[in-house]
């Protein structure tokens, strides 16, 4: 199985496990899409940590052997599955943390970019080498996060950047030593695990929906989500807990 899932408390860890570099086949794309689309039914999970198995890569992108065997006639089907995969991760019902444990290249870089938050090990690299293998891709998703000048430099040169440069341009939120990556991602996940489940779900839906809206329209839409959230039991419990100076007890209602 190239996709492993473990749940502990309200945290799920999803690991790409396809040695040696966790390259993506069409089947694995589909499995990722199925998994993240199913998260709307995961009432016992508040957040997901996505990482790669092994020490060689987070994800080195598409499997070049499968790519060489593909035909032009295959491409519309392949493209649709790939789009569905990235959309499924970006629109997962709960926040997704990418724990980038090594090179994230091509589709691997895009996969990290569609997560809500990114923590990188100090040996991680990020790149869009598609131009070197006769492809284009990734600009639309990375362009949400980094300046256009840097995006075009990565896109046209195909050269990767290191974790510190990725942090400087806003592609990742935090860089930690490789040995501390799992713990750093876990600490962030624990913060989310303690939040109200409906608050996380409605909040993520709101942020995704308003991202490309004009500011005033986006804020009005966000207020609508906030009004929905205020009617829940968990929202009232959160307010009572603050007033009573105690930890809240949430039930997802």
């Amino acid at each position: 199985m190239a996709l492993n899932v473990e749940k502990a408390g309200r945290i799920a860890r999803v690991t790409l496990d396809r040695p040696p570099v966790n390259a993506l086949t069409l089947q694995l794309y589909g499995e990722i899409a199925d998994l993240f689309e199913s998260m709307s039914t995961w009432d016992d999970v508040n957040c997901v940590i996505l990482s790669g198995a092994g020490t060689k890569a987070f994800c080195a992108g598409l499997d070049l052997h499968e790519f060489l065997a593909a035909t032009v006639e295959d491409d519309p089907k392949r493209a649709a599955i790939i789009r569905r995969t990235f959309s499924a991760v970006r629109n997962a019902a709960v926040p997704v943390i990418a724990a980038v444990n090594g090179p994230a290249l091509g589709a691997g870089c895009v996969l990290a970019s569609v997560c809500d938050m990114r923590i990188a090990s100090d040996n991680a690299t990020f790149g869009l080498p598609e131009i070197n293998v006769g492809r284009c891709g990734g600009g639309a998703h990375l362009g949400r996060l980094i300046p256009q000048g840097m995006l075009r430099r990565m896109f046209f040169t195909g050269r990767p950047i290191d974790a510190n440069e990725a942090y400087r341009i806003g592609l990742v939120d935090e860089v930690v030593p490789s040995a501390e990556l799992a713990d750093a991602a876990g600490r962030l996940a624990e913060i989310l695990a303690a939040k109200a489940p409906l608050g996380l779900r409605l909040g993520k839906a709101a942020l995704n929906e308003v991202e490309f809206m004009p500011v005033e329209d986006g804020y009005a839409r966000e207020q609508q989500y906030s009004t929905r959230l205020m009617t829940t039991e968990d929202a009232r419990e959160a307010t009572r807990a603050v007033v009573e100076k105690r930890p809240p007890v949430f039930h997802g209602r």
Side-chain angles (χ1 to χ4, degrees), residues 26 62-80 82 134-135:
L26 206 59
L62 61 83
D63 185 299
L64 292 181
H65 297 288
E66 184 177 90
F67 170 62
L68 284 173
T71 66
V72 173
E73 290 74 20
D74 295 330
D75 203 58
K77 177 184 176 182
R78 290 173 55 82
I82 292 170
R135 299 284 285 183

Side-chain angles (χ1 to χ4, degrees), residues 102-126:
L105 304 176
C109 188
V110 178
L111 188 60
S113 78
V114 294
C115 295
D116 296 279
M117 293 155 278
R118 284 154 294 282
I119 301 176
S121 65
D122 54 8
N123 67 336
T125 58
F126 299 82

Side-chain angles (χ1 to χ4, degrees), residues 55 58 61-62 66 85 144 157 163 175 177 185 221 225 232 236 249:
T55 58
F58 169 75
L62 61 83
E66 184 177 90
T85 301
R144 298 168 41 241
T157 66
V175 178
R221 185 66 178 133
Y225 275 97
T232 67
R236 290 190 290 274
V249 178

